[in-house]
Amino acid sequence: MVETDSPRRITRTAGDGDDIRLNAVFDALADERRRRVLRCLRDDDPPVPVESIARSLRDEVGDDERTLEASLHHRDLPRLDDSGVISYDRETNCVVDCDRIDAVQPYLDTALRMER
């Protein structure tokens, strides 16, 4: 369950220590590709390799897999990691934790609906 304990923090449940800053959430969701990445990740169990994410998004994004993998590795996944929504391991090229996607789910759903 998502609760807000201040205008600037979002937590999955009160007191669980999983705070995500609201500005970071909106920054993470500001990019269409990052929203699509989160949509893919919310249904996967970690670890999720970059190659798997690229394969899932290839047809939607229109890039070839290698270009998409590079963009995910260097830009999108580190940005999502910095926001606190996921944990990305650059050494293994895998998303190792995506449990906090639940905390931003209402915002993600709204953004995805508005894209249609």
Side-chain angles (χ1 to χ4, degrees):
M1 177 161 136
V2 176
E3 298 178 11
T4 59
D5 59 358
S6 80
R8 296 186 180 191
R9 290 195 183 275
I10 299 171
T11 59
R12 281 190 304 151
T13 57
D16 71 356
D18 248 353
D19 291 355
I20 301 174
R21 296 201 176 272
L22 187 59
N23 287 341
V25 170
F26 287 121
D27 181 59
L29 297 177
D31 182 78
E32 182 178 2
R33 181 175 295 163
R34 288 193 299 268
R35 291 190 300 270
R36 290 177 178 185
V37 168
L38 291 174
R39 189 197 66 230
C40 288
L41 288 173
R42 71 180 172 197
D43 298 326
D44 279 335
D45 292 321
V48 182
V50 172
E51 297 85 6
S52 175
I53 300 167
R55 232 181 344 269
S56 295
L57 296 178
R58 176 187 54 215
D59 294 334
E60 291 180 49
V61 177
D63 288 340
D64 67 87
E65 262 183 65
R66 277 180 79 73
T67 302
L68 188 52
E69 285 176 27
S71 178
L72 289 168
H73 175 73
H74 291 289
R75 187 182 69 134
D76 300 306
L77 295 174
R79 191 82 171 254
L80 289 169
D81 183 70
D82 289 344
S83 75
V85 177
I86 66 165
S87 293
Y88 176 60
D89 184 336
R90 287 176 176 247
E91 298 293 317
T92 62
N93 293 327
C94 289
V95 173
V96 293
D97 181 12
C98 48
D99 289 341
R100 292 176 305 270
I101 292 175
D102 292 344
V104 300
Q105 192 65 49
Y107 305 104
L108 177 60
D109 288 343
T110 299
L112 292 171
R113 265 194 315 274
M114 292 178 77
E115 281 180 1
R116 295 181 194 161

